[in-house]
Structure formats: structure tokens, C-alpha cells
Amino acid sequence: MRDVAVRAGVSTMTVSRVLNEPGKVSEEMRERVLRVVREIGYLPNHLAGNLSSSRSTTIGLIVPSIDNSIYTQTVKGLSEVLKRSGFQLMIAESGYDPNEEEELITIFLSQRVSGLVLHSTEHTPQAAEKIRKSGIPVVENGNIPEEPLDMVVSFSNHDASYAMTMHLGRLGYRKIAFASLYSVHNDRSKDRLQGYQAALKQLGLDPDPRIVLETERGLAAGAEVVARVVQSVPEVDALFCAGDVLAVGALFECQKRGWPVPGRLALASFDDVDLLRHVSPSVSTLRLPRYDIGERTARILLSRIMDGAEHLRGSVIDLKFELIQREST
Amino acid sequence: MRDVAVRAGVSTMTVSRVLNEPGKVSEEMRERVLRVVREIGYLPNHLAGNLSSSRSTTIGLIVPSIDNSIYTQTVKGLSEVLKRSGFQLMIAESGYDPNEEEELITIFLSQRVSGLVLHSTEHTPQAAEKIRKSGIPVVENGNIPEEPLDMVVSFSNHDASYAMTMHLGRLGYRKIAFASLYSVHNDRSKDRLQGYQAALKQLGLDPDPRIVLETERGLAAGAEVVARVVQSVPEVDALFCAGDVLAVGALFECQKRGWPVPGRLALASFDDVDLLRHVSPSVSTLRLPRYDIGERTARILLSRIMDGAEHLRGSVIDLKFELIQREST
DNA sequence: GCTGTTTTTGGTAGCGGTAACAATAGAATC
DNA sequence: GATTCTATTGTTACCGCTACCAAAAACAGC
């Protein structure tokens, strides 16, 4: 930058102004400086700028696992809005481990990110303390926690799960099995289970621990769920798969066994992946506002960072989901 | 940091050493400083550190589209290796637009990333020039370009496509249709098409433009491909879908029409997504080293950055793929 | 004990920008 | 025409850390 200043015969301050507050500089200077900038291909050093102004245009995002297609829509929403305001996204994965998450938070704070997005809502006390101390705005994304760190943009896993279970109950199914991903360090799974249980109670159905399963992600896991459920409780008439592509795996297993769906077993899923609409029978599911979550998260974060909108501190935005009834129930 | 130094009764230089080169400091000092660091919860400022040392621990990654599950495995491989060495990943999406890519490259260079990973292999001349001028190591990932910017870690889209087409030919299929994603600004698609054409020639089959299609991503597009192909050329006996989940969409369409696969139409796909193994009939495909690409990319980049391994400049690593024969062909 | 060498610690000057204030010049006011 | 104001540009200090070299302390050899 010094180089640009010398060649243009102005002070570095003027160069800085041309690049950051062009309005405060006369037409003539602006052109003179910009020409030199182009000539020598000058690239401003953001590190220096950020350090000096103690601002930054970087947002940190921590997801449990990068290779989970569920999050990609949210990341896209985030990324698109942030990009428009010139912000960058740093992404890291915690592997569903709160200690790992804490370490990543520390690193991000060291990098002086100006905001943080966390997809998990379970944190170590130290992590919470560090964030509080840093004073930067944070958005939690994966669920609506009882004690938010700061802001929340999400749908309610509990309510969504409740809604689908009620739906199955109203359709007349009486022995409704429930499968989710492991709930250790995953309060999304925990809330889904509780939503299911609350609905059963409301429906006057007895909970039966034999048909409540936890498993890993994947099609194979979905198939296995069907096998386990019908082996222990043959009279089961519906299966609600509240996790990643489990329902598709379950459907394939039913097809393999030649079972009519929903005749022998009704199937419901939790996330509206494209696939569920195209399989036969098409699978009932919940349409979750994945992209919107990212978009709103970015917006609310930017308001806090750029406009200092302190009144947004602690906001909880509960985005609505939609229940989609299809052939499988 | 000044605060820590004062409280521990040492110079800032000693604090800096304790944090970065603990070996060069006496046991006693180390403990004294670390205790104070813990006491006041001191977080080093990486921005300042990076500026001062003109090094950084950030790698920039540009993908065409974030919500493409194909890349997530590669990103995971990258992320895991980088994390182990304390590097961070900044991710941005170019939307398949080279101009957008150039702008993102400029931003990343301004942020002084210490390495760049590009999933596209089509760049504007200005982008190439900026990268060259910056001198930072770059890895291209999505394909093996004719004129690499620097290093390349990929499989060959051309060879993979060629291999699958040859496979179909050897199985006796004579009228092999080909569907890929739009090839505008997507040299992966272009190379796949050329591989297909090269194989046809080798097999002594006449190319037929009526059964070479380009379409968008998604299951619906796959279904549509089947419809278009058989309408214009009913005697087609195989369909090679060289793009995202097109094959699954095509399979569903065949099932809907009650066509035996491969009896009426053989189906081959391009990427070994879990789904292809679990549908019925299971679909032949290519297993591509997605995760490995990320891992190797990170490794080669780190060698250049940390060990200054200049002999790696310009390396082209052609990772092997595997053809998986299943029921659909 | 003294000199030469090695290890450990400290002082100082930037890294490349920006904030805050000072200075200058031209416009506006009376 | 003198004074006040406003718009534009420059000066200086510092953001928080590390490179580089100097100083001090510890160790060795004779």
C-alpha cells in the first residue's frame, strides 16, 4: 500500500480511504489512486486491515459432520447471504464431540471471527464461558435449546416429531415404532424422541420400549431397523424414522420382503430429501426449512455485526415446518 | 499478551515463545507463563500473529456449489487432515461461474490464505495470473486439466467415462446412450463426453447425437432422460448416466414403466453413492476416490506450505477409480 | 579463575493497515 | 475583508504479535 501511495503521490491514508470510504475522497484522487492500484495489481492485506480496525469479515461455522447432506442446504443459505455482504465462512466439524467443539470455538475466537454459528446445541460450560467473554454474536441452528447461548434460528425437533406421530395416530395406526440416530451428544435426537413420546401420550397409546430404536446413519441401518422392530413386536403397524435416509432403507427392506406399504407397515420420514418423493410408494415426511435457517441465521448475524442491533440479542426464531402426507402412510 | 507478560514478570517475547516454541524456554518460565495464561483466559490473536510472521493457517476452498453431496466427502478428507495440522478451511462457492471464481480468489488472496484448493479447472486468465503472482500453492481437484495452474489431485473423468462405456460395449450393448450434466463451464462433463466418444470409436460403434443428452441435476432429470432417449431412438439398449443421481431417477422411471433392467435398458452410473447398491436392481457404477482426493490434496498442500517442498510444484496425482459391476448391466 | 561457547531472555523495530486528530484550502457568512 | 465552517488530505500512534539481534546467564574447558 505504501507503494501505491508513493506512486500516486498521496499518503497511505488517502489510499486506504479510496478503497474503503470512496465517498470521502475527491474524484481526482480516487481516479489517480485506482489507476495505480490497477497498474501494479495491488491487493489489500485484510489481515492487517482487520487487526488495525479490530473488525473482521469472517464467520465461523461448526457442524457435527461435514459429509451430512442435511446441512448443506443450510450452509448454502448462510453462504449466499454472507457473500453478498462480503463476509467469508470458515467451516469446521466437531464430530458430535462437545470437547472438540470447544477447541474449535477457541480457534475461531483466536482468528477473531466476528460471529459464530453452531449446529449443535450441546456445549461444554467452558465453551459457553469463552463465547460469553468474547462478546461476539452467536446463532445456534440445529434445535431450539432450553438455555440458548445467544440467538437461535431453527425449527423445533420436538414439535416436528410430535406432529408426525400425531399424524400417524390420527390415521389409525396403533403400534407406532420410532427410530432415530443415536442421541448421545445429540439433543436433536433426544427432542425427537420426546416429541414422539408426548404424542403417544396424547393419543392414549402405551409407550413400548421394544419399538423405540437408535441406530446409525445410512440405508443399511434403515433396513436393519425394520428387521429388529418386526422381530420383537410383529404387530407393529407403523414406523417413524426420525433420521437421515433411514426411511428409504426401511422402504427398500419392505420391498425386499414383499410387504405392502402402508398395508403391512406404514412409513414416515423426517426430512424432505428429493428421493422420498420419487420412490414408490412415495414417503410421508416433514419439510424442514433448511435453507431458510441458513438465510435467517446470516441475516440476524449481520444485523448484530454491522448495525450493532443489540435488541436482537437472545432472539429465538422458530421457523415453521410442514407435514407432507404421501402414499406411505 | 502484554497483560500476561506483566503479570508473569517476563517480556512479551517470552510469552510468545512459550506459546509457539515451548522448547526454547526454560521449564520454570513455561509454567509461570502458562499459569497466567490460564488464569486470565488469554486468547492469542492469530490475526496479529499471522500479520507479523506473514504466515497463515488458512486454506481457501472454492467449490462450484456447496449443496452438492458429491463434494462433501472430498471436503471431509481435506478438513480432517488440515485440522490435524492446525489449519482452517475457508469455503466459498462459485456457482459454476469463472468470473465469480476469480472474485473469490481475489478475496482469498487478500485474506492471505496460505494455500488454495479449486474444484473447477476452468479459470479466467486474470485468476491464473493473480495466483501465479501470489506464489501460493494451489491444488485443482475436479479433473485433470491439460494446463494445470500448479498441482492436481484428481481422477480422470475422461478415463472413467471411457472405462464404463467400454464395459457396456464388452457386455454386448450396441446402442449406448449417454447423459451428463450441462457441460457449459464444466470441463468434467466435457471430459466424460469425450471418454464416452473415444470408447464408442474403440468399440466400432457409430456415435448417434440423438442419444447424447445434457441435463440438470436431480432425480426428475434422470427420469426425463429415459423418456427423451427412448422416444427418439427406441432401439437404445443401455444408458450411461454420467452425473449426479441421474441413474437413480432413470431407474425409477424404468420401474414405473415396468421395464426390466437391464433386460429392456441397461443402466450405469458415475459415482458410487450408497443408494445405488441398495436399489433393486443394484446399479453398476464407478467408485471414485472422493475422500482420498481431499486427503491427498491436504497432504500435498501442507508439504508445500510447511516443508517448502518445491519439488512438488506442478505435481499431477491421478488417483485410481474402480468399476463396480452390479445387476443393472 | 578466566575465556569461549551455548542457552535463555529481553529490547526494538516492524508486519500493513486504520483511528483519531491536525492541517490546509476553499466556500460561506456577515 | 475577516471570520467561521466544511471538505479534503496528511501526520502520528498504535492494533498484537514476531523476527532479529543484543544482553545476560549458565555451562565448559583448561
Side-chain angles (χ1 to χ4, degrees), chain A residues 1 16 20 42 52 55:
Chain A
M1 173 155 145
S16 174
N20 299 309
Y42 163 72
S52 181
R55 276 183 263 107

Side-chain angles (χ1 to χ4, degrees), chain B residues 247 251 267-269 276-277 279 281-285 324 326-328:
Chain B
L251 176 62
L267 279 179
S269 183
L276 296 174
R277 197 171 62 236
V279 288
S282 56
V283 177
S284 299
T285 190
I324 302 172
R326 295 210 183 96
E327 299 161 1
S328 71

Side-chain angles (χ1 to χ4, degrees), chain A residues 63-76:
Chain A
V63 292
S65 172
I66 285 183
D67 67 339
N68 188 334
S69 54
I70 291 301
Y71 305 136
T72 57
Q73 280 295 95
T74 303
V75 177
K76 195 181 185 75

Side-chain angles (χ1 to χ4, degrees), chain B residues 27-98:
Chain B
E27 181 88 15
E28 190 208 334
M29 283 290 151
R30 210 181 312 152
E31 282 178 15
R32 182 140 50 113
V33 170
L34 285 178
R35 189 153 37 75
V36 178
V37 166
R38 256 177 271 118
E39 263 174 38
I40 68 171
Y42 164 71
L43 262 190
N45 184 328
H46 273 198
L47 288 181
N50 290 342
L51 175 61
S52 181
S53 62
S54 48
R55 275 182 264 109
S56 96
T57 56
T58 305
I59 302 292
L61 166 66
I62 302 178
V63 293
S65 172
I66 285 183
D67 66 340
N68 189 332
S69 55
I70 292 300
Y71 306 136
T72 58
Q73 281 295 95
T74 303
V75 176
K76 194 182 183 75
L78 257 176
S79 158
E80 287 187 349
V81 175
L82 291 179
K83 190 160 70 179
R84 258 178 259 142
S85 298
F87 277 67
Q88 256 52 56
L89 205 49
M90 292 189 94
I91 304 182
E93 63 175 350
S94 67
Y96 295 91
D97 175 357

Side-chain angles (χ1 to χ4, degrees), chain B:
Chain B
M1 174 155 142
R2 163 157 279 105
D3 197 24
V4 176
V6 172
R7 284 179 197 241
V10 298
S11 73
T12 61
M13 212 41 242
T14 302
V15 176
S16 174
R17 284 201 189 94
V18 169
L19 265 27
N20 299 310
E21 310 163 294
K24 294 194 173 178
V25 161
S26 71
E27 181 88 15
E28 190 208 334
M29 283 290 151
R30 210 181 312 152
E31 282 178 15
R32 182 140 50 113
V33 170
L34 285 178
R35 189 153 37 75
V36 178
V37 166
R38 256 177 271 118
E39 263 174 38
I40 68 171
Y42 164 71
L43 262 190
N45 184 328
H46 273 198
L47 288 181
N50 290 342
L51 175 61
S52 181
S53 62
S54 48
R55 275 182 264 109
S56 96
T57 56
T58 305
I59 302 292
L61 166 66
I62 302 178
V63 293
S65 172
I66 285 183
D67 66 340
N68 189 332
S69 55
I70 292 300
Y71 306 136
T72 58
Q73 281 295 95
T74 303
V75 176
K76 194 182 183 75
L78 257 176
S79 158
E80 287 187 349
V81 175
L82 291 179
K83 190 160 70 179
R84 258 178 259 142
S85 298
F87 277 67
Q88 256 52 56
L89 205 49
M90 292 189 94
I91 304 182
E93 63 175 350
S94 67
Y96 295 91
D97 175 357
N99 291 310
E100 181 73 21
E101 191 201 51
E102 182 190 335
E103 198 174 318
L104 293 169
I105 288 173
T106 308
I107 292 173
F108 278 155
L109 292 178
S110 275
Q111 308 266 12
R112 298 301 190 264
V113 296
S114 54
L116 220 39
V117 181
L118 306 177
H119 230 290
S120 174
T121 47
E122 254 191 47
H123 320 286
T124 67
Q126 294 90 321
E129 172 59 16
K130 281 177 185 169
I131 287 174
R132 199 198 52 67
K133 202 170 160 189
S134 79
I136 66 169
V138 177
V139 179
E140 288 168 286
N141 251 348
N143 197 9
I144 300 187
E146 299 198 1
E147 291 188 19
L149 290 172
D150 182 358
M151 305 183 288
V152 178
V153 178
S154 181
F155 65 91
S156 162
N157 283 279
H158 176 282
D159 294 357
S161 184
Y162 177 87
M164 180 56 90
T165 311
M166 287 301 290
H167 177 71
L168 291 169
R170 288 206 201 91
L171 288 173
Y173 300 104
R174 281 294 161 265
K175 204 70 188 172
I176 304 170
F178 177 84
S180 72
L181 303 185
Y182 292 114
S183 61
V184 187
H185 290 151
N186 187 338
D187 64 340
R188 274 119 30 229
S189 279
K190 282 178 205 152
D191 273 20
R192 292 177 192 181
L193 175 59
Q194 284 170 13
Y196 160 79
Q197 290 168 334
L200 284 191
K201 194 169 177 187
Q202 180 69 28
L203 290 163
L205 299 176
D206 289 333
D208 183 343
R210 293 173 303 166
I211 54 174
V212 172
L213 306 176
E214 291 191 355
T215 184
E216 56 192 15
R217 284 163 57 191
L219 291 167
E224 197 212 332
V225 161
V226 171
R228 277 160 63 192
V229 149
V230 298
Q231 191 179 356
S232 53
V233 183
E235 66 271 29
V236 65
D237 58 3
L239 170 60
F240 176 21
C241 292
D244 258 73
V245 299
L246 288 178
V248 179
L251 176 62
F252 288 165
E253 178 65 19
C254 290
Q255 289 175 341
K256 194 177 286 173
R257 293 170 179 237
W259 288 359
V261 173
R264 169 65 183 85
L265 187 70
L267 279 179
S269 183
F270 199 85
D271 226 311
D272 190 26
V273 295
D274 200 22
L275 194 54
L276 296 174
R277 197 171 62 236
H278 288 90
V279 288
S280 178
S282 56
V283 177
S284 299
T285 190
L286 295 155
R287 177 172 296 153
L288 306 170
R290 299 287 184 190
Y291 183 88
D292 292 350
I293 289 175
E295 211 177 357
R296 288 295 290 275
T297 296
R299 260 198 249 292
I300 197 171
L301 215 42
L302 289 175
S303 301
R304 279 284 290 281
I305 295 167
M306 309 216 293
D307 313 333
E310 279 303 313
H311 63 279
L312 293 175
R313 185 184 289 274
S315 308
V316 174
I317 300 181
D318 183 354
L319 291 174
K320 293 307 162 214
F321 55 85
E322 196 183 331
L323 197 153
I324 302 172
Q325 157 68 11
R326 295 210 183 96
E327 299 161 1
S328 71
T329 55

